Amino acid sequence: MSNFADIVQQLHTTFGSGRTRDVAFREKQLQNLLRMYEENHAEMARALAADLRKHKQEAYLMEIEFLMNDLRSTIFKLRDWVKPDRPEKTMVNMMDGVFIYKDPYGVVLVMGAWNYPLQVTLVPVAAAIAAGNCVLIKPSEVAPATSRFIAETIPKYLDQDCYRVVEGGVKETSELLKQKFDYIFYTGSGRVGRIVHQACNENLTPCTLELGGKSPCYIDSTADIAIATKRILWGKFINAGQTCIAPDYVLCSKSVQKQFLEEARSVLKEWYGENAKDSPDLCRIINQQHFQRLSSMIKGANVAIGGDMDASEKYIAPTVLIDVKACDPVMQDEIFGPILPILTVESPQEAINFINARDKPLAMYIFSKNEAARDALIANTSCGGICVNDTLGHFAVESLPFGGVGPSGMGAYHGKYGFDSFTHKKSCLMKDFNALGEKLASSRYPPYSDSKLSFLSTLLKKRQGFSIRFLPYALMFGVGVASALIVQCITERRN
């Protein structure tokens, strides 16, 4: 811990040397990271099994393959991403160069979470490398096997002058946040997110916070209940519900609830057998602290499905609760476990009112064939992202930004949005010493006059839809003024 200041200073020194700004260097490091994934995927799966008893299929689907696909796409597109943007120009800048350069922030801190300890740590790390930053990586200590894997393996593949890994718990993290970073990326709980944000405020450090919240799931009678049930249960119980965008609770009518429960009993038996505890496909709760927190939510509740628990194995059966009220313990905070409460509503508007009375969630799910109902929910609620007639799927679409709003987070990443998060957009207006351009600009200089003001007002007046593509028409619009200036300029040059 006493070495944190030295590590951060060394990274600042490396960044100052300009090494990570070279695009070829970034590509090489990203290729090395991809090689790390390809050569160590079995070890990665074993680490996830040790921390969460995560089945191999879940490990590959939700973490390992996700990492590799995201990274391959980043490597393929990086050369295009780093090029300066050339935004459209207005008439006043028709002779100038207008650019947006992509600058790395500098030394960035990436703090991962324990629920998907590889994916949510290393996806932003790859984005930060692609953007040209030096990176300090802090895996979650709550997933110790995965943290150890990252700490031991990263140095074998990435340049240690540019990319470092530190481990530790709350004490070490608190000390780390006292250091001066140029950007901080944090994934985790809202409680810790507030602490990270406060630390960022001390140095006016920009940050991305990927938090969570109680993501609602609305179902109406027009949905295909059999398919909807499977998709909702999969999104809820994968990783034992320890997913930041898992459906947190269901909103539906009494009649839909009855159909949902009938389907759910059949589906869960098909997936996990008569005794879900014996199934190798069901993850376990990460530790005893979270087990006790979750078990307290079930006590005293009306359990329609599941409810079985075993503290010695940190096992909680896939559980569905009914007759849930907004004031119940299970509705006070994000559940983050295999418990699905159902609350009854009789209309989309009632669902909208319920959702809007709470913090803005990270995700929202809508199961309906009714286009008007879907549109009403989308238009009249605020959340990080929406998935219609499925769960979790929007997370895997790299062309969609992933992030929260308000208490569920700030900023976004995935694909180019990750690159953009770790990139400062530097504006640049580039003029030359062209005589015509100077003549056009001369009206801004003293001595001032009404005629100069009139000319500047005409030049600066915003034309709806104008861009440099319409320059010929713009010149026609101001042909009288422009022609006179051109003739005057030519005459002066001849003299």
Side-chain angles (χ1 to χ4, degrees):
M1 190 162 58
S2 62
N3 199 34
F4 285 169
D6 294 338
I7 293 173
V8 174
Q9 182 54 53
Q10 180 263 309
L11 291 173
H12 279 293
T13 300
T14 300
F15 181 76
S17 73
R19 189 188 309 182
T20 60
R21 289 179 176 270
D22 180 66
V23 179
F25 176 83
R26 303 184 209 178
E27 286 179 326
K28 180 63 175 176
Q29 296 304 307
L30 293 172
Q31 288 162 355
N32 288 345
L33 188 60
L34 179 59
R35 184 164 57 86
M36 182 187 108
Y37 299 159
E38 293 170 342
E39 293 176 355
N40 295 277
H41 55 81
E43 289 79 1
M44 295 161 78
R46 281 194 288 270
L48 294 170
D51 286 329
L52 290 151
R53 214 194 79 158
K54 190 171 291 195
H55 189 277
K56 181 179 178 180
Q57 182 169 327
E58 280 193 23
Y60 277 86
L61 175 65
M62 302 298 287
E63 301 222 42
I64 300 168
E65 290 293 342
F66 189 100
L67 282 172
M68 292 194 286
N69 289 334
D70 176 84
L71 186 47
R72 290 186 184 112
S73 177
T74 297
I75 293 169
F76 180 74
K77 297 174 181 176
L78 181 59
R79 291 277 175 172
D80 286 332
W81 290 352
V82 300
K83 293 177 182 175
D85 290 336
R86 294 171 175 262
E88 291 186 348
K89 297 187 288 187
T90 59
M91 185 175 179
V92 71
N93 296 120
M94 61 185 176
M95 301 181 69
D96 305 327
V98 178
F99 304 94
I100 301 173
Y101 288 94
K102 320 292 182 58
D103 276 2
Y105 276 104
V107 176
V108 306
L109 171 64
V110 174
M111 303 171 65
W114 56 261
N115 58 328
Y116 291 90
L118 287 172
Q119 182 212 119
V120 299
T121 304
L122 296 177
V123 167
V125 166
I129 294 172
N133 299 280
C134 288
V135 190
L136 185 58
I137 306 162
K138 169 60 178 68
S140 173
E141 75 282 1
V142 182
T146 309
S147 178
R148 187 165 54 252
F149 168 81
I150 292 173
E152 293 176 353
T153 312
I154 287 285
K156 300 175 183 178
Y157 291 86
L158 299 184
D159 188 319
Q160 280 296 279
D161 289 336
C162 306
Y163 317 107
R164 300 288 294 272
V165 183
V166 296
E167 293 186 279
V170 174
K171 185 177 180 181
E172 289 78 11
T173 302
S174 299
E175 188 64 29
L176 194 60
L177 288 171
K178 295 177 183 178
Q179 308 305 316
K180 177 65 175 72
F181 293 97
D182 298 299
Y183 199 94
I184 293 178
F185 190 106
Y186 168 77
T187 303
S189 71
R191 179 184 62 83
V192 178
R194 287 176 171 83
I195 296 172
V196 173
H197 192 258
Q198 185 175 0
C200 290
N201 288 341
E202 291 295 320
N203 293 308
L204 296 179
T205 303
C207 65
T208 292
L209 302 178
E210 294 296 339
L211 308 177
K214 297 185 74 63
S215 299
C217 179
Y218 173 78
I219 323 171
D220 71 16
S221 59
T222 68
D224 185 316
I225 303 299
I227 295 175
T229 302
K230 283 186 177 181
R231 294 176 180 178
I232 293 167
L233 296 181
W234 177 79
K236 180 62 180 181
F237 297 126
I238 195 169
N239 207 41
Q242 299 165 119
T243 304
C244 60
I245 53 171
D248 192 90
Y249 60 92
V250 167
L251 296 170
C252 66
S253 66
K254 281 283 188 183
S255 61
V256 170
Q257 174 183 284
K258 181 180 178 182
Q259 298 175 67
F260 178 84
L261 290 173
E262 291 174 358
E263 290 289 341
R265 293 186 181 97
S266 175
V267 168
L268 292 174
K269 183 178 179 181
E270 176 188 344
W271 287 356
Y272 303 119
E274 292 288 350
N275 185 2
K277 184 179 176 182
D278 297 331
S279 171
D281 302 328
L282 189 65
C283 288
R284 292 299 188 257
I285 307 307
I286 187 67
N287 58 29
Q288 284 295 332
Q289 177 185 345
H290 284 277
F291 176 86
Q292 295 300 329
R293 179 183 62 83
L294 291 165
S295 62
S296 67
M297 296 180 183
I298 297 175
K299 292 174 183 175
N302 189 347
V303 177
I305 298 174
D308 301 330
M309 296 176 282
D310 185 342
S312 66
E313 287 197 22
K314 296 174 290 186
Y315 162 77
I316 296 179
T319 298
V320 181
L321 307 179
I322 58 173
D323 301 326
V324 177
K325 299 181 180 60
C327 59
D328 289 349
V330 75
M331 290 303 296
Q332 302 314 302
D333 295 299
E334 182 180 6
I335 296 170
F336 224 67
I339 304 168
L340 182 64
I342 301 178
L343 297 93
T344 55
V345 295
E346 297 302 326
S347 69
Q349 187 58 53
E350 191 177 346
I352 290 168
N353 293 342
F354 188 90
I355 294 166
N356 287 342
R358 282 147 188 83
D359 286 343
K360 296 176 181 181
L362 184 56
M364 183 170 71
Y365 302 104
I366 304 168
F367 286 83
S368 175
K369 295 178 183 177
N370 185 326
E371 187 175 351
R374 296 198 309 249
D375 289 347
L377 282 155
I378 293 170
N380 294 289
T381 58
S382 178
C383 61
I386 292 175
C387 192
V388 176
N389 294 329
D390 202 356
T391 59
L392 311 192
H394 63 296
F395 182 88
V397 182
E398 71 171 46
S399 57
L400 291 176
F402 178 78
V405 55
S408 58
M410 61 177 66
Y413 73 124
H414 284 182
K416 188 174 184 296
Y417 297 99
F419 175 86
D420 289 342
S421 287
F422 290 102
T423 302
H424 169 62
K425 312 299 187 299
K426 184 169 66 180
S427 302
C428 180
L429 173 64
M430 197 172 294
K431 290 179 173 286
D432 59 22
F433 297 106
N434 179 277
L436 176 59
E438 177 61 16
K439 200 66 180 177
L440 287 169
S442 63
S443 292
R444 65 181 173 173
Y445 302 139
Y448 301 133
S449 67
D450 290 344
S451 60
K452 285 184 176 181
L453 177 60
S454 176
F455 173 74
L456 285 172
S457 297
T458 301
L459 194 64
L460 293 171
K461 187 175 182 180
K462 181 69 176 177
R463 318 262 177 240
Q464 189 65 33
F466 175 84
S467 80
I468 194 63
R469 295 194 302 271
F470 308 125
L471 180 57
Y473 304 103
L475 289 175
M476 287 174 62
F477 173 80
V479 65
V481 175
S483 298
L485 287 170
I486 291 170
V487 170
Q488 183 180 355
C489 180
I490 293 171
T491 302
E492 290 177 354
R493 287 176 64 89
R494 284 177 177 174
N495 292 335

